[in-house]
Amino acid sequence: MSFDSKSQEKIIVQVAIDSPLNQLFDYAWDEGFALKPEKGQIVQVSFGRQECIGIVMQILDKTEYDLKKIKKIQAIAPLPPISSDVVAMAEFAAIYYQRPIGEVLIPSIPKMWRQKNKWELLAKEKRLSKAKAAIKNTQAKSENEIHLNKEQLLIVEKLWNQSISQKFSCNLLQGVTGSGKTLTYLHWLKKILEDDESQVMIMVPEINLTPQLEASVEKAFPGKKLVVMHSGITDRTRADNWVKAHLGKAQIILGTRMAIATSAPNLKAIVVDEEHDLSYKQQEGVRYSARDLAVWRGKKLDIPVVLASATPSLETWFHAQEKRYETLILKERAAKNAKPPLIQILDLKQEQKAGKKNEHGLSEHLLNELQKNIEQGRQSIIYINRRGYSPVLNCQACGWLSDCVKCSAHMVLHKITEQKKNLCCHHCGVMKLVPKACPDCGNTDLSPLGKGTQKIEEFLSERFPKAKVLRIDADTTRTKGSAESLFAEIHEGQADIIVGTQMIAKGHDYQSVSLVGVIDADASLFSQDFRAAERLFAQLMQVAGRAGRSEDAGESKVIIQTNYPEAAPYKHLRNADVDGFLEEIKNERQMVGLPPFSYQALVHGEHKTLLQAFDMLKDASQLARSDKIWPANVMLSDVIPRAMMRIAGKERAQMLVESENRQDLQKSIEILQHYLTEAHTKRKGVGWYIERDPISI
């Protein structure tokens, strides 16, 4: 039926709304609208007692409901429909991750565009101040020509050939740290953007990487409109940036995982930098993998996708080995005369036998190397992946520990000033003053156990009083612009020793760092998660790669302290053997049938009492397995407590769903979803969700 013939009667549209109800909702199209209904239009509707934003998903000839009771669409946003590939990707994600389409699609729209009363304001383009406009104009003129080596030029040529073929391809761009992966893909994107209509997307794992890459992109692409998309920008800036991408006015979209859902009508390439990083997996709401959705979106649009990493995830590396992805290798460091660092695995047991000191977790050897580096005027990094002053406060008289009352975790000691200290839970965020005496026995002699970034910073400042020690972690970068300011100090050479967590390891191009020391890494070896060794190896390879990135760094060293030098991550780190390590863990996982040789989902349940969470998951499990259509080759584990059993007062349980066949796993979680919904209605207050492709178990 044509639109014109429908105009004589009510036109029904089905709308997706951000609601836990897994359905679309019927509304009547107002005859007074000048526009025809289209899939992807943003509209305002009345839902229950409130007004909210929805997205048109279908236009119907008829409805099962009484036409007199169907509400009308109230308003249409002054925008074209969301690009069809984003809508299709959301439909796929809703099925794959087992969430209502509205919960997937609506949150991808910036907050201000979800408020009808802001539409008129947003339609007026925000004017830049004269000072900001002058800075933008200066940046636009400061073009730096990118000079590539033969390896890089060959890769650019391969990627460009893929672009002009207008067919989907997924590429693993793997290269040693400092090999110029960023310069390589920027040169390729530059060729694409010679067409002013084209758009490209670059994704990074962390907000603090965005300013550095943003500066590089602006220099590489003068005159091209760049917008950033991440949670650190204001609501107005995000709304403006999103609409510029949506209207095709922005050629470059740079952002974190949220960027993958940005509507872009002329998208011609997607780059996922540091593709192995866990930050690409959303851990709240719809638990999607932005990397996986980037590959899906590239396939939908028939465009090339580049996954770049010095330490690719096993899944990506395995796909490349199996020829599903193209492998592009950079073997040499890009900077002239830059030499890879010498990696030393320091056996702490041998150091102890030799009678050498170990102060605050730093060996005598590492401290001597720090002293030499300071004397030579070069920068050093001390990496410890634990923020705070000390992981736990202890009473040696009775054994009391600073446990969180709401979580099954210790409260971490944080030093605010010399006089003021707090206890903070890094899981639920609860903060308390340090008790003056032990709550159990009254002992006033409470002592910190273990060490964090604050304690190491304090010790190094005392040990090297003339050196400038800089700490970078989630505490020092909490305020807006603080991370950018701290990293600028490093790049300008204003810091001698940088103490930090994994924030300092990801993608930063330090020119004067010639020593990296890693302390207290062994804790990651003994996690219950089968991916622990892979994560540790990637972290250590990334932080090791911060040394020796230019001629200014001279002869560089990486010293990794451990009590287990023969463990697989350390064994392969000696020679920076990424492929050798990945081959070893691939063989281990193949023997026991773990990903990528199987597919997994976790079913989570939580309640104030663990028994209620257990019982609900058990009930759903029994009903699902007794269903006639339950796939025979899908394994459903027993219900067990989660590794972190209690968070914010909620007790948590889980069960693992596993299969060698992706389609069978999908069928099984759809069955589980049905019975979980049924069990949930019988047990008030029990929360649950299904997590597809979990990153930790």
Side-chain angles (χ1 to χ4, degrees):
M1 184 183 290
S2 70
F3 179 80
D4 292 331
S5 61
K6 281 185 184 180
S7 63
Q8 303 303 316
E9 53 191 75
K10 284 192 175 179
I11 302 161
I12 304 301
V13 292
Q14 288 198 307
V15 176
I17 292 169
D18 189 358
S19 160
L21 297 173
N22 192 14
Q23 65 181 82
L24 299 175
F25 299 90
D26 288 10
Y27 286 88
W29 193 258
D30 193 315
E31 298 88 346
F33 291 150
L35 295 173
K36 299 177 182 180
E38 291 183 73
K39 188 172 183 177
Q41 278 174 323
I42 300 173
V43 295
Q44 177 174 287
V45 296
S46 174
F47 186 69
R49 295 183 179 179
Q50 62 182 359
E51 294 179 349
C52 63
I53 296 303
I55 295 177
V56 174
M57 300 300 291
Q58 290 187 42
I59 298 100
L60 302 179
D61 291 329
K62 57 184 178 180
T63 178
E64 297 175 0
Y65 303 100
D66 185 348
L67 287 172
K68 294 178 182 178
K69 294 181 179 179
I70 290 180
K71 297 177 181 178
K72 286 186 177 182
I73 298 289
Q74 295 177 329
I76 312 169
L79 292 170
I82 291 171
S83 57
S84 59
D85 60 300
V86 171
V87 176
M89 184 178 70
E91 289 174 320
F92 161 77
I95 295 168
Y96 189 79
Y97 296 109
Q98 287 295 290
R99 298 301 287 258
I101 181 66
E103 285 190 356
V104 178
L105 197 49
I106 304 298
S108 72
I109 301 169
K111 184 179 178 181
M112 290 185 74
W113 279 108
R114 283 181 263 149
Q115 298 170 284
K116 195 262 181 184
N117 61 338
K118 300 287 175 67
W119 288 353
E120 188 177 345
L121 172 67
L122 292 171
K124 299 174 183 177
E125 190 167 346
K126 191 178 178 183
R127 293 182 180 178
L128 284 175
S129 68
K130 289 183 179 179
K132 286 184 178 178
I135 292 170
K136 287 286 181 184
N137 290 334
T138 304
Q139 288 171 339
K141 294 174 184 176
S142 59
E143 179 173 5
N144 283 359
E145 184 61 37
I146 302 171
H147 298 286
L148 305 184
N149 59 33
K150 288 182 180 179
E151 265 188 338
Q152 294 169 317
L153 287 170
L154 184 61
I155 288 173
V156 171
E157 186 181 354
K158 285 183 178 179
L159 290 172
W160 177 239
N161 287 335
Q162 291 178 12
S163 293
I164 59 180
S165 73
Q166 297 184 347
K167 291 182 180 178
F168 166 71
S169 59
C170 189
N171 303 269
L172 168 59
L173 178 56
Q174 182 181 350
V176 296
T177 49
S179 60
K181 293 183 290 295
T182 304
L183 291 180
T184 302
Y185 69 66
L186 286 181
H187 205 86
W188 164 54
L189 297 179
K190 190 173 185 179
K191 291 173 78 70
I192 294 173
L193 292 175
E194 287 174 1
D195 175 5
D196 291 336
E197 297 296 315
S198 294
Q199 294 177 289
V200 298
M201 181 180 291
I202 306 170
M203 294 169 61
V204 292
E206 296 279 358
I207 292 171
N208 66 69
L209 289 179
T210 313
Q212 184 180 346
L213 189 54
E214 185 179 356
S216 299
V217 171
E218 284 178 334
K219 288 178 182 178
F221 306 123
K224 300 295 182 183
K225 182 64 182 176
L226 163 70
V227 293
V228 295
M229 297 294 295
H230 58 71
S231 59
I233 57 179
T234 64
D235 288 343
R236 177 64 198 263
T237 302
R238 186 184 167 196
D240 289 343
N241 288 354
W242 179 84
V243 83
K244 285 170 186 171
H246 176 58
L247 297 176
K249 293 180 179 179
Q251 288 87 40
I252 307 157
I253 302 148
L254 171 64
T256 53
R257 62 175 176 261
M258 70 162 60
I260 191 55
T262 303
S263 179
N266 304 309
L267 194 60
K268 302 300 180 188
I270 303 174
V271 174
V272 183
D273 208 352
E274 308 290 351
E275 68 81 24
H276 66 278
D277 200 282
L278 302 183
S279 300
Y280 284 120
K281 184 70 185 289
Q282 172 74 11
Q283 291 300 299
E284 294 177 352
V286 182
R287 287 164 167 77
Y288 65 90
S289 165
R291 178 198 65 196
D292 295 349
L293 290 183
V295 175
W296 192 96
R297 190 172 180 183
K299 190 171 184 178
K300 175 72 176 176
L301 290 171
D302 275 329
I303 61 173
V305 177
V306 168
L307 309 178
S309 177
T311 54
S313 62
L314 181 60
E315 284 81 2
T316 297
W317 182 83
F318 179 69
H319 288 324
Q321 294 291 306
E322 295 289 301
K323 307 299 182 186
R324 297 187 196 115
Y325 296 170
E326 178 86 18
T327 307
L328 308 172
I329 301 291
L330 291 170
K331 297 179 181 177
E332 303 295 330
R333 289 205 159 190
K336 290 182 179 179
N337 302 318
K339 297 178 181 177
L342 172 67
I343 299 179
Q344 298 178 356
I345 308 298
L346 189 68
D347 189 342
L348 292 177
K349 290 178 182 176
Q350 294 299 324
E351 291 284 296
Q352 189 177 12
K353 285 180 182 178
K356 294 183 179 179
K357 293 180 181 178
N358 189 317
E359 297 182 70
H360 291 78
L362 284 88
S363 65
E364 192 176 316
H365 175 63
L366 179 53
L367 290 171
N368 290 337
E369 291 294 332
L370 276 170
Q371 181 64 52
K372 288 179 190 176
N373 223 38
I374 293 167
E375 290 169 359
Q376 291 170 0
R378 289 180 175 143
Q379 293 179 319
S380 306
I381 286 176
I382 298 299
Y383 174 77
I384 173 170
N385 203 22
R386 185 186 295 117
R387 65 186 173 98
Y389 188 83
S390 178
V392 63
L393 198 62
N394 166 249
C395 172
Q396 294 183 351
C398 71
W400 172 85
L401 296 172
S402 56
D403 291 334
C404 177
V405 293
K406 292 187 175 183
C407 307
S408 48
H410 301 308
M411 297 190 80
V412 178
L413 180 65
H414 284 255
K415 192 173 181 180
I416 313 302
T417 64
E418 284 299 324
Q419 290 75 33
K420 186 179 178 183
K421 295 178 182 177
N422 282 343
L423 289 172
C424 175
C425 176
H426 289 177
H427 298 279
C428 69
V430 166
M431 296 187 73
K432 291 183 178 181
L433 292 173
V434 174
K436 295 180 179 179
C438 173
D440 287 355
C441 71
N443 176 31
T444 56
D445 187 18
L446 300 177
S447 56
L449 292 179
K451 52 202 166 288
T453 49
Q454 280 187 311
K455 196 171 186 179
I456 297 301
E457 177 195 25
E458 181 181 87
F459 167 69
L460 291 174
S461 297
E462 292 172 358
R463 179 66 182 256
F464 305 108
K466 294 182 180 179
K468 171 70 181 294
V469 181
L470 200 67
R471 173 167 58 92
I472 297 183
D473 56 25
D475 297 318
T476 60
T477 58
R478 200 176 298 279
T479 57
K480 186 180 179 180
S482 55
E484 195 172 344
S485 174
L486 288 169
F487 284 117
E489 285 189 51
I490 299 173
H491 294 303
E492 291 165 9
Q494 296 177 19
D496 299 303
I497 303 173
I498 303 107
V499 178
T501 57
Q502 59 182 325
M503 287 180 67
I504 62 174
K506 297 177 179 179
H508 295 286
D509 189 20
Y510 309 124
Q511 294 295 301
S512 301
V513 171
S514 59
L515 176 67
V516 171
V518 178
I519 61 176
D520 212 23
D522 287 346
S524 299
L525 284 174
F526 304 106
S527 168
Q528 78 285 350
D529 190 0
F530 67 87
R531 288 189 175 91
E534 181 186 353
R535 289 174 188 158
L536 176 61
F537 181 81
Q539 287 173 5
L540 297 184
M541 278 295 298
Q542 290 289 329
V543 75
R546 300 314 108 196
R549 297 179 72 89
S550 74
E551 191 175 358
D552 295 340
E555 296 289 334
S556 55
K557 287 183 182 177
V558 178
I559 299 170
I560 300 171
Q561 300 183 165
T562 177
N563 286 301
Y564 308 93
E566 295 308 313
Y570 304 131
K571 184 176 66 177
H572 291 283
L573 271 162
R574 284 191 180 95
N575 301 312
D577 184 11
V578 176
D579 288 340
F581 173 75
L582 291 171
E583 183 68 34
E584 182 172 330
I585 62 170
K586 182 202 82 172
N587 293 335
E588 288 177 2
R589 292 199 198 166
Q590 189 170 18
M591 287 175 63
V592 292
L594 288 169
F597 301 98
S598 66
Y599 303 96
Q600 295 179 330
L602 270 180
V603 185
H604 301 267
E606 59 180 38
H607 190 261
K608 291 179 181 179
T609 63
L610 188 61
L611 182 61
Q612 284 284 342
F614 258 66
D615 286 349
M616 192 197 74
L617 293 186
K618 281 182 179 177
D619 288 351
S621 170
Q622 289 170 1
L623 289 167
R625 279 190 281 202
S626 63
D627 196 301
K628 291 179 181 179
I629 61 170
W630 179 264
N633 67 342
V634 174
M635 186 278 291
L636 191 57
S637 75
D638 292 336
V639 182
I640 60 170
R642 292 192 63 182
M644 183 67 67
M645 189 175 73
R646 185 174 67 255
I647 286 186
K650 292 287 183 72
E651 304 284 347
R652 310 188 308 161
Q654 68 179 35
M655 59 182 178
L656 178 67
V657 194
E658 198 167 22
S659 177
E660 293 180 0
N661 184 282
R662 190 191 291 270
Q663 286 72 32
D664 285 345
L665 180 68
Q666 183 67 34
K667 186 186 292 185
S668 67
I669 63 174
E670 287 173 3
I671 296 168
L672 274 166
Q673 177 96 340
H674 169 74
Y675 289 113
L676 281 163
T677 304
E678 189 173 295
H680 174 67
T681 57
K682 294 176 182 177
R683 298 181 187 279
K684 298 290 184 182
V686 182
W688 61 272
Y689 61 90
I690 296 175
E691 181 182 8
R692 189 72 188 266
D693 304 327
I695 55 174
S696 62
I697 294 177

